Amino acid sequence: MMVVIIDYNMGNVASVEKAFKALDVAAVVSHNKSDIEEAQYLVLPGVGAFGDGIKNLQALDLVDILHKKVVEDGVPFLGICLGMQLIAEVGYEFGAHKGLGWVAGEVAKLESKKLHLPHVGWNDVTVVKDDILFKDITDKNFYFVHSYFLNCVNASIVSATCEYGQRFAAAIRQDNIFATQFHPEKSQGSGLRLLQNFLSSRDYA
Amino acid sequence: MLKVRVIPCMLFNGFHLVKTVAFGQMRTIGNPVQTARIYNKRNVDELIFIDITASQDQRPPMFDVIRDIFKECFMPLSVGGGIHAITTVDRLMKIGADKIIINSEAIRNPDFVTQVAKKYGSQSVVVSIDAKKQGKAHWVCTERGEENTGMVAEEWAKKVAKLGAGEIFLNSIDRDGTMQGYDLDLISKVGKTVSIPVIACGGAGSSSQVVEAVKSGEAAAVSLASLFHYTQTTPDNVKAALHEAGVPVRLT
């Protein structure tokens, strides 16, 4: 099983790599096209600003190959946090930026009302659509660190929601494209289980 | 609902895990990597690791030890002690730290807080404040509590929040290691002044005192060491008490 964690200089890839290692899965951290070409599973992690994320993917010339692998070839993809947001059509963090455009929607700032931003810490998610990602996960508390969220045009792709000032998409699934706003790699047993579920998604496709 | 976090605090002296009393006498507790492994097994919300003698001894943080601790953790890890340069922050982030705890360097060079926040985001920057009570005021101290900076805790907290800190790790020097209860006055004073989360530390000797820190001190998170090191109480016991008191916690 070839898992490639895309390294595009946007934060903590070490944690994601370690989480897969804990599952006894050899994951490669890479931005080489030859690795991405061979990947059976692709993971796009990331912490940081939307514009920087897209800029880094472009600078590494990864936009086209990711599109080919994920959208055309249907390789299972997991976007985490910023990695979830980058697949939208457009993001509005520090100005408008075009995203990868794999899912219809835009990335907007949370309306936190009186609550603090960023939304940091453990929060519980509500699974709104039965999905392989949440299979056999009883404790649905996950660790979040973000100020922006993916506002999907198509609500039917939302598999879990979370409440913080407003209800927002905590996880989505559109065919082979999975994404979580929270960090499974920081969410103890529940997070590890979710990653394992992602790796079995081929069998359930 | 966002949960109130219970965060075990691990203090390191370059050799062992230790526990201090009022920032003074150090008692050896054990091996930091083993302890991190146990806390991970206990499914804690988050961990804090501080190398308390690094700055004083003028040495860098022990990257190898931190790397080994990190390997054990599948929850967020905050690392502090001996962090005075952005290159140190870079290295810790690369190893896998989620948050960096800055203390004396923030006092010496407040721009450092902004520098780290700009590079890694405010959510990655925790400023640690060591406060000592004199009269009615809580004074910010440095040099492991030896030197009074002349600033009061709530004013300094306000300033670091403006500089870009994402959280405040608030220590009561007087209560440290005493297990006599948190300094509720200090916690609520600082908590009322800033809008960023305050992690209360220093003095927890029972689950009910932790409940007090959250209920009347309004701490967003609580950190503690002695209660876990010296008694049978586990993080889960503390969280069960918080839950009973109506505080949202992540029950496992």
Side-chain angles (χ1 to χ4, degrees):
Chain A
M1 189 178 335
M2 171 83 163
V3 178
V4 174
I5 301 164
I6 297 154
D7 179 14
Y8 62 121
N9 304 318
M10 290 305 287
N12 210 335
V13 283
S15 299
V16 182
E17 184 186 17
K18 183 187 62 173
F20 281 108
K21 204 179 249 175
L23 297 171
D24 273 332
V25 174
V28 181
V29 176
S30 172
H31 49 66
N32 291 332
K33 287 183 193 164
S34 54
D35 289 330
I36 295 173
E37 192 58 61
E38 302 216 332
Q40 289 176 293
Y41 292 89
L42 281 166
V43 180
L44 185 65
V47 176
F50 192 96
D52 293 339
I54 282 293
K55 206 173 72 190
N56 289 5
L57 286 177
Q58 282 164 346
L60 292 163
D61 193 22
L62 297 178
V63 174
D64 290 341
I65 191 169
L66 287 174
H67 185 274
K68 178 189 165 286
K69 289 294 284 183
V70 179
V71 181
E72 292 168 29
D73 299 352
V75 169
F77 168 91
L78 177 65
I80 298 172
C81 194
L82 180 62
M84 172 181 189
Q85 300 176 359
L86 291 174
I87 64 178
E89 292 162 308
V90 60
Y92 292 103
E93 190 171 0
F94 301 118
H97 301 273
K98 203 166 167 277
L100 295 171
W102 301 345
V103 299
E106 57 182 41
V107 175
K109 195 164 189 172
L110 280 171
E111 282 186 30
S112 64
K113 297 183 181 99
K114 279 186 184 160
L115 302 169
H116 311 146
L117 279 186
H119 170 216
V120 184
W122 294 86
N123 207 331
D124 42 12
V125 309
T126 309
V127 176
V128 291
K129 203 179 77 183
D130 209 17
D131 189 78
I132 174 74
L133 226 46
F134 293 97
K135 187 173 177 278
D136 296 334
I137 296 177
T138 46
D139 172 16
K140 293 191 180 62
N141 278 290
F142 293 93
Y143 191 77
F144 289 82
V145 183
H146 66 121
S147 299
Y148 288 76
F149 73 103
L150 172 55
N151 195 3
C152 301
V153 169
N154 182 0
S156 71
I157 66 169
V158 176
S159 51
T161 63
C162 180
E163 172 90 42
Y164 188 72
Q166 68 179 96
R167 197 151 274 284
F168 65 91
I172 59 161
R173 181 194 183 169
Q174 176 182 291
D175 306 316
N176 58 311
I177 299 172
F178 298 85
T180 63
Q181 183 56 65
F182 53 82
H183 290 267
E185 77 279 13
K186 292 280 153 199
S187 299
Q188 292 274 22
S190 297
L192 292 176
R193 179 67 217 223
L194 184 140
L195 292 175
Q196 196 168 32
N197 287 343
F198 167 65
L199 296 179
S200 65
S201 63
R202 268 175 181 274
D203 308 333
Y204 291 82
Chain B
M1 198 186 279
L2 192 65
K3 306 299 189 285
V4 169
R5 293 160 288 159
V6 175
I7 310 173
C9 178
M10 308 194 338
L11 303 180
F12 183 68
N13 70 349
F15 301 99
H16 325 278
L17 216 55
V18 293
K19 184 66 203 98
T20 51
V21 176
F23 279 33
Q25 65 169 60
M26 266 181 226
R27 188 158 155 191
T28 298
I29 297 297
N31 176 302
V33 181
Q34 278 172 0
T35 306
R37 188 178 304 148
I38 291 165
Y39 283 136
N40 185 69
K41 276 260 188 296
R42 292 203 160 146
N43 203 354
V44 298
D45 297 334
E46 200 169 319
L47 269 185
I48 284 175
F49 175 83
I50 302 178
D51 189 333
I52 55 171
T53 54
S55 291
Q56 200 176 31
D57 298 349
Q58 296 185 316
R59 58 170 173 79
M62 299 253 175
F63 295 106
D64 289 344
V65 175
I66 295 166
R67 188 178 287 113
D68 287 344
I69 289 172
F70 172 67
K71 278 188 197 147
E72 304 293 336
C73 297
F74 291 94
M75 81 298 261
L77 176 65
S78 304
V79 179
I83 301 172
H84 303 281
I86 195 79
T87 48
T88 311
V89 176
D90 292 340
R91 206 165 153 191
L92 290 169
M93 286 298 195
K94 202 165 166 68
I95 289 174
D98 296 281
K99 306 181 202 180
I100 295 297
I101 305 173
I102 305 168
N103 191 334
S104 58
E105 193 60 32
I107 294 166
R108 204 170 305 134
N109 170 24
D111 288 343
F112 185 58
V113 176
T114 312
Q115 195 186 359
V116 180
K118 276 208 173 129
K119 186 154 186 187
Y120 292 100
S122 284
Q123 83 286 339
S124 301
V125 185
V126 183
V127 169
S128 171
I129 298 177
D130 298 334
K132 202 183 256 181
K133 192 170 189 172
Q134 242 165 32
K136 280 193 174 161
H138 287 89
W139 299 96
V140 178
C141 293
T142 183
E143 305 297 327
R144 308 221 54 250
E146 295 288 316
E147 202 175 297
N148 187 332
T149 62
M151 299 185 289
V152 291
E154 58 273 31
E155 286 306 314
W156 178 230
K158 207 198 284 182
K159 184 154 182 217
V160 298
K162 225 176 237 159
L163 289 167
E167 275 183 309
I168 287 170
F169 181 56
L170 184 62
N171 293 286
S172 161
I173 297 173
D174 314 292
R175 300 295 176 97
D176 173 56
T178 62
M179 300 178 77
Q180 300 290 307
Y182 287 95
D183 187 334
L184 301 178
D185 184 28
L186 171 66
I187 302 167
S188 68
K189 244 199 268 186
V190 174
K192 279 194 183 104
T193 314
V194 294
S195 66
I196 56 175
V198 172
I199 307 167
C201 191
S206 70
S207 292
S208 60
Q209 288 166 350
V210 179
V211 173
E212 273 178 0
V214 176
K215 284 285 221 185
S216 52
E218 292 180 50
V222 282
S223 186
L224 51 157
S226 298
L227 186 63
F228 298 147
H229 291 324
Y230 299 135
T231 78
Q232 303 277 326
T233 308
T234 66
D236 273 351
N237 298 146
V238 171
K239 285 204 268 187
L242 285 166
H243 175 70
E244 292 239 322
V247 176
V249 285
R250 173 178 158 262
L251 290 175
T252 55

